[in-house]
Every structure is written in structure tokens, then in C-alpha cells.
Amino acid sequence: MILNVKSGSKTELIDITSRVREAVSSAGVKEGICMVYVPHTTAAVTINENADSSVKRDILMVLNDMVPWKADYRHAEGNSPAHVKSTLVGASELVAVEDGKPVLGTWQGIFFCEFDGPRSRKVHVRFLKGGADG
Ligand code: ZN
């Protein structure tokens, strides 16, 4: 299954938890693993707190501090900071599925991470079916 995600800012964390829950539900997976994968070199996916939206802002603030917009980058496209952030955060997450639902803690949400927006993006959601004992 592919989710279409439209970002609205240069850097942005977009909560896609409910869309992943729907994907699990519509796939009819009861037990297994859900892979959330971003096929982009200037975006990423991560799991973190979605209760207080300040956490999103703080994560972006630290990433933007860690990876300066201006440096001695060689990549001619001019978006090296976005490539670096993509690698730091990562292109995929794995989430256990139990009783037909992704196993997420009370405060956990799944975020699409935009580092070179605004753009139209894709998030692939795939499943491996099977219980803990196979
Ligand atoms: Zn580039």
C-alpha cells in the first residue's frame, strides 16, 4: 500500500499514525510486522511522541542545529542538509502488529519527516504476516 503525503514546509514532521492504522486494518493483518518505508533521499520516517506537538518542533530544531543550511557542501543541487538529515533519521521503521493493530506506546506516533519541502511524497506500507512463534 502507498500513502500519498503532501508536505507544506521546508522541514516538517507529519503525523501519519492514523493512516498507518488504517492501512493495517484494511490489509487485514492480525499478527505480524508492518514496515513503513520512505523512497526518498531528502525525507525520512520516525516514531516519537505525538501527544505534545512541541516535541516535533524540538526535534526539527535540533536537526536544523546539527546540520547547518550553509556549509562547504559539494552537492550541486544545493540540498545536502536534507540528504544528511534523511540519513540521520532513516528511511524506514518496523512496527509489530498484534490483534490487528500496530503496537505503539501511549505517546508514540509515526511521523513522515520532510527535509526538503514542500513536495508530494510517497510512503510505502508493507506487511509480513505471522505470529511471534511463526
Ligand atoms: Zn540533492
Side-chain angles (χ1 to χ4, degrees):
M1 176 172 292
I2 298 174
L3 309 176
N4 293 302
V5 176
K6 259 194 178 15
S7 59
S9 308
K10 184 81 171 168
T11 59
E12 183 178 10
L13 266 57
I14 299 172
D15 190 341
I16 57 170
T17 313
S18 62
R19 297 183 68 188
V20 174
R21 282 187 206 284
E22 284 165 21
V24 172
S25 169
S26 71
V29 181
K30 296 300 174 201
E31 306 287 329
I33 293 170
C34 172
M35 180 195 70
V36 183
Y37 173 74
V38 171
H40 302 290
T41 60
T42 55
V45 62
T46 194
I47 294 174
N48 214 299
E49 175 170 336
N50 67 354
D52 177 4
S53 66
S54 298
V55 173
K56 287 195 300 189
R57 178 242 175 229
D58 291 350
I59 290 170
L60 284 175
M61 179 187 74
V62 170
L63 284 171
N64 287 332
D65 281 352
M66 284 170 65
V67 186
W69 293 108
K70 292 204 182 301
D72 188 22
Y73 299 120
R74 301 293 161 89
H75 177 48
E77 197 186 5
N79 61 354
S80 279
H83 290 296
V84 172
K85 288 173 199 165
S86 171
T87 281
L88 288 174
V89 177
S92 67
E93 288 283 6
L94 295 176
V95 185
V97 176
E98 287 176 16
D99 299 324
K101 293 177 191 142
V103 179
L104 291 167
T106 307
W107 311 112
Q108 281 184 313
I110 304 167
F111 293 93
F112 174 84
C113 308
E114 177 62 79
F115 297 126
D116 194 21
R119 293 193 197 211
S120 292
R121 301 291 205 171
K122 306 244 180 257
V123 178
H124 291 246
V125 183
R126 293 280 181 93
F127 304 97
L128 281 173
K129 295 181 186 179
D133 49 5

Coordinates of all heavy atoms in Angstrom, one line a residue, residues 33-118:
I33 N 4.3 -7.9 11.2 CA 5.2 -6.8 11.2 C 4.7 -5.8 10.1 O 4.5 -6.2 9.0 CB 6.7 -7.1 11.0 CG1 7.2 -7.9 12.1 CG2 7.5 -5.9 10.8 CD1 8.6 -8.5 11.9
C34 N 4.7 -4.5 10.4 CA 4.3 -3.5 9.5 C 5.6 -2.7 9.2 O 6.3 -2.2 10.1 CB 3.3 -2.6 10.1 SG 2.9 -1.1 9.1
M35 N 6.0 -2.6 7.9 CA 7.2 -1.8 7.5 C 6.6 -0.5 6.9 O 5.8 -0.5 6.0 CB 8.0 -2.6 6.5 CG 9.2 -1.7 6.1 SD 10.0 -2.4 4.6 CE 8.8 -2.0 3.3
V36 N 7.2 0.6 7.4 CA 6.8 1.9 6.9 C 8.1 2.4 6.2 O 9.1 2.6 6.9 CB 6.3 2.8 8.0 CG1 5.9 4.2 7.3 CG2 5.2 2.2 8.7
Y37 N 8.1 2.6 4.9 CA 9.3 2.9 4.2 C 9.1 4.1 3.3 O 8.1 4.3 2.6 CB 9.7 1.7 3.3 CG 10.8 2.0 2.4 CD1 12.1 2.1 2.8 CD2 10.6 2.1 1.0 CE1 13.2 2.3 2.0 CE2 11.6 2.4 0.1 CZ 12.9 2.5 0.6 OH 14.0 2.8 -0.2
V38 N 10.1 5.0 3.3 CA 10.0 6.3 2.5 C 11.1 6.2 1.4 O 12.3 6.1 1.7 CB 10.4 7.5 3.5 CG1 10.5 8.7 2.7 CG2 9.3 7.6 4.5
P39 N 10.6 6.2 0.1 CA 11.5 6.0 -1.0 C 12.1 7.3 -1.5 O 12.0 7.7 -2.7 CB 10.7 5.3 -2.1 CG 9.3 5.9 -1.8 CD 9.2 6.2 -0.3
H40 N 12.6 8.1 -0.6 CA 13.1 9.5 -0.9 C 14.4 9.7 -0.2 O 14.7 9.2 0.9 CB 12.1 10.6 -0.5 CG 10.7 10.4 -1.1 ND1 10.5 10.6 -2.4 CD2 9.6 10.0 -0.5 CE1 9.2 10.4 -2.6 NE2 8.6 10.0 -1.5
T41 N 15.3 10.5 -0.8 CA 16.6 10.8 -0.3 C 16.7 12.1 0.6 O 17.7 12.4 1.1 CB 17.7 10.9 -1.4 OG1 17.3 11.9 -2.3 CG2 17.8 9.6 -2.2
T42 N 15.6 12.8 0.6 CA 15.6 14.0 1.4 C 14.4 14.0 2.3 O 13.8 15.1 2.7 CB 15.5 15.3 0.5 OG1 14.4 15.2 -0.4 CG2 16.8 15.4 -0.3
A43 N 13.9 12.8 2.7 CA 12.8 12.6 3.7 C 13.1 11.4 4.5 O 14.2 10.8 4.3 CB 11.5 12.5 2.9
A44 N 12.3 11.2 5.5 CA 12.6 10.0 6.4 C 11.3 9.7 7.2 O 10.2 10.3 6.9 CB 13.7 10.4 7.4
V45 N 11.4 8.7 8.0 CA 10.3 8.3 8.9 C 10.8 8.0 10.2 O 11.9 7.4 10.4 CB 9.4 7.1 8.3 CG1 10.3 5.9 8.2 CG2 8.2 6.9 9.1
T46 N 10.0 8.4 11.3 CA 10.5 8.2 12.6 C 9.3 8.0 13.5 O 8.1 8.3 13.2 CB 11.4 9.3 13.2 OG1 12.0 8.9 14.4 CG2 10.6 10.6 13.5
I47 N 9.5 7.3 14.7 CA 8.5 7.1 15.7 C 8.9 8.0 16.9 O 10.0 7.8 17.4 CB 8.3 5.6 16.1 CG1 7.8 4.8 14.9 CG2 7.4 5.5 17.3 CD1 7.8 3.3 15.1
N48 N 7.9 8.8 17.3 CA 8.2 9.6 18.5 C 6.9 10.1 19.1 O 5.8 9.8 18.6 CB 9.2 10.7 18.2 CG 10.1 11.0 19.4 OD1 9.7 11.3 20.5 ND2 11.4 10.7 19.3
E49 N 7.0 11.0 20.1 CA 5.8 11.4 20.8 C 4.9 12.3 19.9 O 5.3 13.2 19.2 CB 6.2 12.3 22.0 CG 5.0 12.9 22.7 CD 5.3 13.5 24.1 OE1 6.3 13.1 24.7 OE2 4.5 14.4 24.5
N50 N 3.6 11.9 20.0 CA 2.6 12.7 19.2 C 1.6 13.4 20.1 O 0.6 13.9 19.6 CB 2.0 11.9 18.1 CG 1.1 10.8 18.6 OD1 1.0 10.6 19.8 ND2 0.4 10.2 17.7
A51 N 1.8 13.4 21.4 CA 0.9 14.0 22.3 C 1.2 15.5 22.4 O 0.2 16.3 22.3 CB 1.0 13.3 23.7
D52 N 2.4 15.9 22.6 CA 2.8 17.3 22.7 C 3.5 17.7 21.4 O 4.6 17.2 21.2 CB 3.7 17.5 23.9 CG 4.2 18.9 24.0 OD1 3.8 19.8 23.2 OD2 5.0 19.2 24.9
S53 N 2.9 18.6 20.7 CA 3.5 18.9 19.4 C 4.8 19.7 19.5 O 5.5 19.8 18.5 CB 2.5 19.7 18.5 OG 2.2 20.9 19.1
S54 N 5.1 20.1 20.7 CA 6.4 20.8 20.9 C 7.6 19.8 20.6 O 8.7 20.2 20.3 CB 6.6 21.3 22.4 OG 5.6 22.2 22.6
V55 N 7.3 18.5 20.8 CA 8.4 17.5 20.6 C 8.8 17.6 19.1 O 10.0 17.5 18.8 CB 7.9 16.1 21.0 CG1 9.0 15.1 20.6 CG2 7.7 16.1 22.5
K56 N 7.8 17.6 18.2 CA 8.1 17.7 16.8 C 9.0 18.9 16.5 O 10.0 18.8 15.8 CB 6.8 18.0 15.9 CG 5.9 16.8 15.8 CD 4.9 17.0 14.7 CE 4.0 18.2 14.9 NZ 2.9 18.2 13.9
R57 N 8.6 20.0 17.1 CA 9.3 21.3 16.9 C 10.8 21.2 17.4 O 11.7 21.7 16.8 CB 8.5 22.4 17.6 CG 9.2 23.8 17.5 CD 9.5 24.3 18.9 NE 10.2 25.5 18.9 CZ 11.3 25.7 19.6 NH1 11.8 24.8 20.3 NH2 11.9 26.9 19.5
D58 N 10.9 20.6 18.6 CA 12.2 20.4 19.2 C 13.1 19.5 18.4 O 14.3 19.8 18.3 CB 12.1 19.9 20.7 CG 11.4 21.0 21.6 OD1 11.3 22.1 21.1 OD2 11.1 20.6 22.7
I59 N 12.6 18.4 17.9 CA 13.4 17.5 17.1 C 13.9 18.3 15.8 O 15.0 18.2 15.5 CB 12.5 16.3 16.7 CG1 12.3 15.4 17.9 CG2 13.2 15.5 15.5 CD1 11.3 14.3 17.6
L60 N 13.0 19.0 15.2 CA 13.4 19.7 14.0 C 14.4 20.8 14.3 O 15.4 21.0 13.6 CB 12.2 20.4 13.3 CG 11.3 19.5 12.5 CD1 10.1 20.2 12.0 CD2 12.1 18.9 11.3
M61 N 14.2 21.5 15.5 CA 15.2 22.5 15.9 C 16.6 21.9 16.1 O 17.6 22.4 15.6 CB 14.7 23.1 17.2 CG 15.7 24.2 17.7 SD 15.3 24.8 19.4 CE 15.8 23.4 20.4
V62 N 16.7 20.7 16.7 CA 18.0 20.1 17.0 C 18.6 19.6 15.6 O 19.8 19.8 15.4 CB 17.8 19.0 18.0 CG1 19.1 18.2 18.1 CG2 17.5 19.5 19.4
L63 N 17.8 19.0 14.8 CA 18.3 18.6 13.5 C 18.8 19.7 12.7 O 19.9 19.7 12.0 CB 17.2 17.8 12.7 CG 16.9 16.4 13.1 CD1 15.7 15.9 12.4 CD2 18.1 15.5 12.9
N64 N 18.1 20.9 12.7 CA 18.5 22.0 12.0 C 19.8 22.6 12.5 O 20.6 23.2 11.8 CB 17.4 23.1 11.9 CG 16.3 22.7 11.0 OD1 16.5 21.9 10.0 ND2 15.0 23.1 11.2
D65 N 19.9 22.5 13.9 CA 21.2 23.0 14.5 C 22.4 22.1 14.2 O 23.5 22.5 14.0 CB 21.0 23.0 16.1 CG 20.2 24.3 16.5 OD1 20.0 25.1 15.7 OD2 19.9 24.3 17.7
M66 N 22.1 20.8 14.2 CA 23.1 19.8 13.9 C 23.7 19.9 12.5 O 24.8 19.7 12.2 CB 22.6 18.4 14.1 CG 22.4 17.9 15.5 SD 21.5 16.3 15.5 CE 22.7 15.2 14.7
V67 N 22.7 20.2 11.5 CA 23.1 20.1 10.1 C 22.8 21.5 9.5 O 21.7 21.9 9.2 CB 22.2 19.1 9.4 CG1 22.7 19.0 7.9 CG2 22.2 17.7 10.1
P68 N 23.9 22.4 9.5 CA 23.7 23.8 9.0 C 23.2 23.9 7.6 O 23.6 23.0 6.8 CB 25.1 24.4 9.2 CG 26.0 23.2 9.3 CD 25.3 22.0 9.8
W69 N 22.4 24.9 7.3 CA 22.0 25.1 5.9 C 23.1 25.5 5.0 O 23.2 25.2 3.9 CB 20.9 26.2 5.9 CG 19.6 25.9 6.6 CD1 19.2 26.3 7.8 CD2 18.7 24.9 6.1 NE1 18.0 25.7 8.1 CE2 17.6 24.8 7.1 CE3 18.6 24.1 5.0 CZ2 16.5 24.0 6.9 CZ3 17.5 23.3 4.9 CH2 16.5 23.2 5.8
K70 N 24.1 26.3 5.6 CA 25.2 26.7 4.8 C 26.5 26.1 5.4 O 26.8 26.2 6.6 CB 25.4 28.2 4.9 CG 24.2 28.9 4.1 CD 24.6 30.3 3.7 CE 23.5 31.1 3.0 NZ 22.9 30.4 1.8
A71 N 27.2 25.4 4.5 CA 28.5 24.8 4.9 C 29.2 24.5 3.5 O 28.7 24.9 2.5 CB 28.3 23.5 5.6
D72 N 30.3 23.9 3.6 CA 31.1 23.6 2.4 C 30.6 22.4 1.7 O 31.4 21.4 1.4 CB 32.6 23.5 2.8 CG 33.5 23.4 1.5 OD1 33.1 23.9 0.5 OD2 34.6 22.8 1.6
Y73 N 29.3 22.4 1.4 CA 28.7 21.3 0.7 C 29.1 21.3 -0.8 O 29.2 22.3 -1.4 CB 27.2 21.3 0.8 CG 26.6 21.3 2.2 CD1 25.9 22.3 2.7 CD2 26.9 20.2 3.0 CE1 25.3 22.3 4.0 CE2 26.3 20.1 4.3 CZ 25.6 21.2 4.8 OH 25.1 21.1 6.0
R74 N 29.3 20.1 -1.4 CA 29.7 20.0 -2.8 C 28.5 19.6 -3.7 O 28.6 19.8 -4.9 CB 30.8 18.9 -3.0 CG 32.0 19.3 -2.1 CD 32.7 20.5 -2.7 NE 33.6 21.1 -1.7 CZ 34.9 20.8 -1.5 NH1 35.4 19.9 -2.3 NH2 35.6 21.4 -0.6
H75 N 27.5 19.0 -3.2 CA 26.3 18.5 -4.0 C 25.6 19.7 -4.7 O 25.1 20.6 -4.0 CB 25.3 17.8 -3.0 CG 24.1 17.4 -3.6 ND1 24.0 16.6 -4.8 CD2 22.8 17.5 -3.2 CE1 22.8 16.3 -5.1 NE2 22.0 16.8 -4.1
A76 N 25.7 19.7 -6.0 CA 25.3 20.8 -6.8 C 23.8 21.2 -6.7 O 23.4 22.3 -6.9 CB 25.6 20.6 -8.3
E77 N 23.0 20.2 -6.3 CA 21.5 20.5 -6.2 C 21.2 21.5 -5.1 O 20.2 22.1 -5.0 CB 20.8 19.2 -6.0 CG 19.3 19.3 -6.3 CD 18.5 18.0 -5.9 OE1 19.1 17.1 -5.3 OE2 17.3 18.0 -6.2
G78 N 22.2 21.6 -4.1 CA 22.0 22.6 -3.0 C 21.2 22.1 -1.9 O 20.8 23.0 -1.0
N79 N 20.9 20.9 -1.8 CA 20.0 20.4 -0.7 C 20.7 19.3 0.1 O 20.1 18.5 0.7 CB 18.7 19.9 -1.2 CG 18.8 18.7 -2.2 OD1 19.9 18.3 -2.5 ND2 17.7 18.1 -2.6
S80 N 22.0 19.5 0.3 CA 22.8 18.5 1.1 C 22.3 18.4 2.5 O 22.2 17.3 3.1 CB 24.3 18.8 1.1 OG 24.8 18.3 -0.1
P81 N 21.9 19.5 3.2 CA 21.4 19.3 4.6 C 20.2 18.4 4.6 O 20.1 17.6 5.5 CB 21.0 20.7 4.9 CG 21.8 21.6 4.1 CD 22.0 20.9 2.8
A82 N 19.4 18.4 3.6 CA 18.2 17.5 3.6 C 18.7 16.0 3.4 O 18.1 15.1 4.1 CB 17.2 17.9 2.5
H83 N 19.7 15.8 2.6 CA 20.2 14.4 2.4 C 20.8 13.9 3.7 O 20.6 12.8 4.1 CB 21.3 14.4 1.3 CG 20.7 14.6 -0.1 ND1 19.9 13.7 -0.7 CD2 20.9 15.6 -1.0 CE1 19.6 14.1 -1.9 NE2 20.2 15.3 -2.1
V84 N 21.5 14.8 4.4 CA 22.2 14.4 5.7 C 21.1 14.0 6.7 O 21.2 13.0 7.4 CB 23.1 15.5 6.2 CG1 23.7 15.1 7.6 CG2 24.3 15.7 5.2
K85 N 20.1 14.9 6.8 CA 19.0 14.6 7.8 C 18.3 13.3 7.5 O 17.9 12.6 8.4 CB 18.0 15.8 7.8 CG 18.6 17.0 8.5 CD 17.6 18.2 8.3 CE 18.3 19.5 8.5 NZ 17.6 20.6 8.0
S86 N 18.1 13.1 6.2 CA 17.4 11.8 5.8 C 18.2 10.6 6.3 O 17.6 9.7 6.8 CB 17.3 11.8 4.3 OG 16.9 10.6 3.8
T87 N 19.5 10.7 6.1 CA 20.3 9.6 6.6 C 20.4 9.5 8.1 O 20.3 8.4 8.7 CB 21.8 9.7 6.0 OG1 21.7 9.2 4.7 CG2 22.8 8.9 6.8
L88 N 20.4 10.6 8.8 CA 20.4 10.5 10.3 C 19.1 9.9 10.8 O 19.2 9.1 11.8 CB 20.6 12.0 10.8 CG 21.9 12.6 10.7 CD1 21.9 14.1 11.2 CD2 23.0 11.8 11.5
V89 N 18.0 10.3 10.2 CA 16.7 9.8 10.8 C 16.4 8.4 10.2 O 15.9 7.5 11.0 CB 15.6 10.8 10.5 CG1 14.2 10.3 11.0 CG2 15.9 12.1 11.2
G90 N 16.6 8.2 8.9 CA 16.4 6.8 8.4 C 15.1 6.7 7.5 O 14.2 7.4 7.7
A91 N 15.2 5.8 6.6 CA 14.1 5.7 5.6 C 13.0 4.7 6.0 O 12.0 4.6 5.2 CB 14.8 5.2 4.2
S92 N 13.2 4.0 7.1 CA 12.1 3.0 7.4 C 12.0 2.8 8.9 O 12.9 3.1 9.7 CB 12.4 1.7 6.7 OG 13.6 1.1 7.3
E93 N 10.8 2.3 9.3 CA 10.5 1.9 10.6 C 9.8 0.6 10.5 O 9.0 0.3 9.6 CB 9.6 2.9 11.4 CG 10.3 4.2 11.8 CD 11.2 4.1 13.0 OE1 11.4 3.0 13.5 OE2 11.7 5.1 13.4
L94 N 10.0 -0.3 11.5 CA 9.2 -1.5 11.6 C 8.4 -1.5 12.9 O 8.8 -1.0 13.9 CB 10.2 -2.8 11.8 CG 11.0 -3.1 10.6 CD1 12.0 -4.2 10.9 CD2 10.2 -3.4 9.4
V95 N 7.1 -1.8 12.8 CA 6.2 -1.8 13.9 C 5.5 -3.2 14.0 O 5.0 -3.7 13.0 CB 5.1 -0.7 13.7 CG1 4.2 -0.6 15.0 CG2 5.7 0.6 13.4
A96 N 5.5 -3.8 15.2 CA 4.8 -5.0 15.4 C 3.3 -4.8 15.2 O 2.8 -3.7 15.5 CB 5.1 -5.6 16.8
V97 N 2.6 -5.8 14.7 CA 1.2 -5.8 14.6 C 0.6 -6.9 15.5 O 1.1 -8.1 15.4 CB 0.7 -6.0 13.2 CG1 -0.8 -6.0 13.1 CG2 1.2 -4.9 12.3
E98 N -0.3 -6.6 16.4 CA -0.9 -7.6 17.3 C -2.4 -7.2 17.3 O -2.8 -6.1 17.4 CB -0.3 -7.5 18.7 CG 1.1 -8.1 18.8 CD 1.7 -8.0 20.2 OE1 0.9 -7.7 21.1 OE2 2.9 -8.1 20.3
D99 N -3.2 -8.3 17.3 CA -4.7 -8.1 17.3 C -5.2 -7.1 16.3 O -6.1 -6.3 16.5 CB -5.1 -7.7 18.7 CG -4.8 -8.7 19.8 OD1 -4.8 -9.9 19.5 OD2 -4.4 -8.3 20.9
G100 N -4.5 -7.1 15.1 CA -5.0 -6.3 14.0 C -4.6 -4.8 14.2 O -5.1 -4.0 13.4
K101 N -3.7 -4.5 15.1 CA -3.3 -3.1 15.3 C -1.8 -2.9 15.4 O -1.1 -3.8 16.0 CB -3.9 -2.6 16.6 CG -5.4 -2.5 16.6 CD -6.0 -2.0 17.9 CE -7.5 -2.2 18.0 NZ -8.0 -2.6 19.3
P102 N -1.3 -1.8 15.0 CA 0.2 -1.6 15.2 C 0.4 -1.4 16.7 O -0.4 -0.7 17.4 CB 0.5 -0.3 14.4 CG -0.9 0.3 14.2 CD -1.9 -0.7 14.2
V103 N 1.5 -2.0 17.2 CA 1.8 -1.9 18.6 C 2.6 -0.6 18.8 O 3.8 -0.5 18.5 CB 2.7 -3.1 19.1 CG1 3.0 -2.9 20.6 CG2 1.9 -4.4 18.8
L104 N 1.9 0.4 19.4 CA 2.5 1.7 19.6 C 2.2 2.1 21.1 O 1.1 1.8 21.6 CB 1.9 2.8 18.7 CG 2.3 2.7 17.2 CD1 1.4 3.6 16.4 CD2 3.8 3.0 17.0
G105 N 3.2 2.6 21.8 CA 3.0 3.1 23.1 C 2.0 4.2 23.2 O 1.7 4.9 22.2
T106 N 1.6 4.5 24.4 CA 0.6 5.6 24.6 C 1.0 6.9 23.9 O 0.1 7.6 23.3 CB 0.4 5.9 26.1 OG1 0.1 4.6 26.7 CG2 -0.7 6.9 26.3
W107 N 2.2 7.2 23.9 CA 2.7 8.5 23.4 C 3.3 8.4 22.1 O 3.8 9.4 21.6 CB 3.7 9.1 24.4 CG 3.2 9.1 25.8 CD1 3.6 8.4 26.9 CD2 2.0 9.8 26.3 NE1 2.9 8.6 28.0 CE2 1.9 9.5 27.7 CE3 1.1 10.7 25.8 CZ2 0.9 10.0 28.5 CZ3 0.1 11.2 26.6 CH2 0.0 10.8 27.9
Q108 N 3.4 7.2 21.5 CA 4.1 7.1 20.2 C 3.2 7.4 19.0 O 2.1 6.9 19.0 CB 4.7 5.7 20.1 CG 5.9 5.4 20.9 CD 6.5 4.0 20.6 OE1 5.8 3.1 20.7 NE2 7.8 4.0 20.4
G109 N 3.8 8.1 18.1 CA 3.2 8.3 16.8 C 4.2 8.0 15.7 O 5.4 8.0 16.0
I110 N 3.7 7.8 14.5 CA 4.6 7.6 13.3 C 4.6 8.9 12.5 O 3.6 9.4 12.1 CB 4.1 6.4 12.5 CG1 4.0 5.2 13.4 CG2 5.1 6.2 11.3 CD1 3.3 4.0 12.7
F111 N 5.8 9.4 12.3 CA 5.9 10.7 11.6 C 6.7 10.5 10.2 O 7.8 10.0 10.2 CB 6.7 11.7 12.4 CG 6.0 12.1 13.7 CD1 6.2 11.5 14.8 CD2 5.1 13.2 13.6 CE1 5.5 11.8 16.0 CE2 4.4 13.6 14.7 CZ 4.6 12.9 15.9
F112 N 6.1 11.1 9.2 CA 6.8 11.3 8.0 C 7.6 12.6 8.2 O 7.1 13.6 8.7 CB 5.9 11.5 6.8 CG 6.6 11.9 5.5 CD1 7.1 11.0 4.7 CD2 6.7 13.3 5.2 CE1 7.8 11.3 3.6 CE2 7.4 13.6 4.0 CZ 8.0 12.7 3.2
C113 N 8.9 12.5 7.8 CA 9.8 13.7 8.1 C 10.2 14.3 6.7 O 10.9 13.7 5.9 CB 11.1 13.2 8.8 SG 10.8 12.3 10.3
E114 N 9.7 15.5 6.5 CA 10.1 16.3 5.3 C 11.3 17.1 5.6 O 11.3 17.8 6.6 CB 8.9 17.2 4.9 CG 9.2 18.0 3.7 CD 9.6 17.2 2.5 OE1 8.6 16.7 1.8 OE2 10.8 17.1 2.1
F115 N 12.4 17.0 4.7 CA 13.5 17.8 4.9 C 13.8 18.7 3.7 O 14.8 19.5 3.8 CB 14.8 17.0 5.2 CG 14.6 16.2 6.5 CD1 14.8 14.8 6.5 CD2 14.3 16.8 7.7 CE1 14.6 14.1 7.7 CE2 14.1 16.1 8.9 CZ 14.3 14.7 8.9
D116 N 13.0 18.6 2.7 CA 13.3 19.5 1.5 C 11.9 19.8 0.8 O 11.8 19.6 -0.4 CB 14.3 18.8 0.6 CG 14.8 19.8 -0.5 OD1 14.7 21.0 -0.3 OD2 15.3 19.3 -1.5
G117 N 11.0 20.2 1.6 CA 9.7 20.5 1.0 C 9.5 21.9 0.6 O 10.5 22.7 0.5
P118 N 8.3 22.3 0.2 CA 7.1 21.4 0.2 C 7.1 20.5 -1.1 O 7.6 21.0 -2.1 CB 5.9 22.4 0.1 CG 6.5 23.7 -0.4 CD 8.0 23.7 0.0

